[in-house]
Amino acid sequence: RFHYSDSLYVWGILAGSSVGLLASTLSRLYSSTYYALRDTRTPLKFALVRVALTTVLGWLFATRVPHWLGIDPLWGAAGLTASAGVAAWVEFSLLRRSLNQRIGVTGLHAASVAKLWVCAVVAAAVGWAAKLAIGLAHPRIYGLAILAVYGVAYLGATYLLRINECRDILRRVIR
């Protein structure tokens, strides 16, 4: 049996995971760049830092922080995923700084990242409005409808803000 309170708990764990999603993705890209440069030691060193930091922060976030905040210790699981996200940002920062010293400036333009965040927030607002408009329905239909609305809104927003990757995908689909 999966109840509403269970959904909130899973939501908290997933929200903790989102802390490091961008950093984890970019770290994998930077690690691949090092591998292309035939350097496997640098990403390994920084990965070991990440593992050590995840271990220490994970213990702290899972066992101590819920007590300090006066919340149910069960929420320590969300702390585990959040601590892994913090460690991912540290690893990403180390990889990026090191690679920038080695080959020059790398990374995403702040304006591009800001545009994508705006698109995501707008699409989430449209998805939320769809949730309110749809009302109660079968959970699968409800979920599919809201995700479809979110996806179309995100695609439309990225198109309107002239995100090149969106335009490239649409050209391929139309062909």
Side-chain angles (χ1 to χ4, degrees):
R1 294 183 187 249
F2 200 78
H3 299 286
Y4 179 74
S5 61
D6 299 320
S7 297
L8 290 177
Y9 180 62
V10 170
W11 172 85
I13 293 170
L14 292 173
S17 296
S18 70
V19 169
L21 193 57
L22 180 61
S24 292
T25 302
L26 292 172
S27 292
R28 299 299 62 87
L29 292 172
Y30 278 112
S31 292
S32 295
T33 303
Y34 276 103
Y35 299 146
L37 295 170
R38 300 195 188 290
D39 178 359
T40 57
R41 288 179 184 240
T42 302
L44 174 63
K45 283 190 315 189
F46 296 146
L48 291 173
V49 169
R50 179 182 180 165
V51 168
L53 193 56
T54 299
T55 302
V56 171
L57 289 177
W59 174 81
L60 186 70
F61 283 34
T63 61
R64 298 292 179 232
V65 171
H67 174 71
W68 294 338
L69 295 176
I71 59 176
D72 188 339
L74 189 67
W75 286 99
L80 282 174
T81 57
S83 69
V86 171
W89 279 106
V90 171
E91 179 189 29
F92 162 68
S93 299
L94 293 169
L95 285 164
R96 182 176 179 191
R97 187 189 66 190
S98 174
L99 194 61
N100 285 345
Q101 290 171 348
R102 186 165 174 178
I103 67 171
V105 177
T106 65
L108 302 171
H109 296 286
S112 297
V113 174
K115 283 181 182 180
L116 292 172
W117 274 105
V118 167
C119 292
V121 169
V122 166
V126 171
W128 187 265
K131 174 189 181 294
L132 297 176
I134 292 171
L136 294 176
H138 188 277
R140 289 185 185 147
I141 295 170
Y142 193 55
L144 284 173
I146 293 168
L147 286 174
V149 167
Y150 174 87
V152 169
Y154 186 79
L155 188 65
T158 56
Y159 182 81
L160 290 174
L161 290 180
R162 301 180 188 271
I163 303 296
N164 290 333
E165 291 79 4
C166 172
R167 291 176 177 261
D168 292 343
I169 289 170
L170 287 176
R171 267 190 233 110
R172 288 181 186 161
V173 169
I174 291 171
R175 280 189 213 155

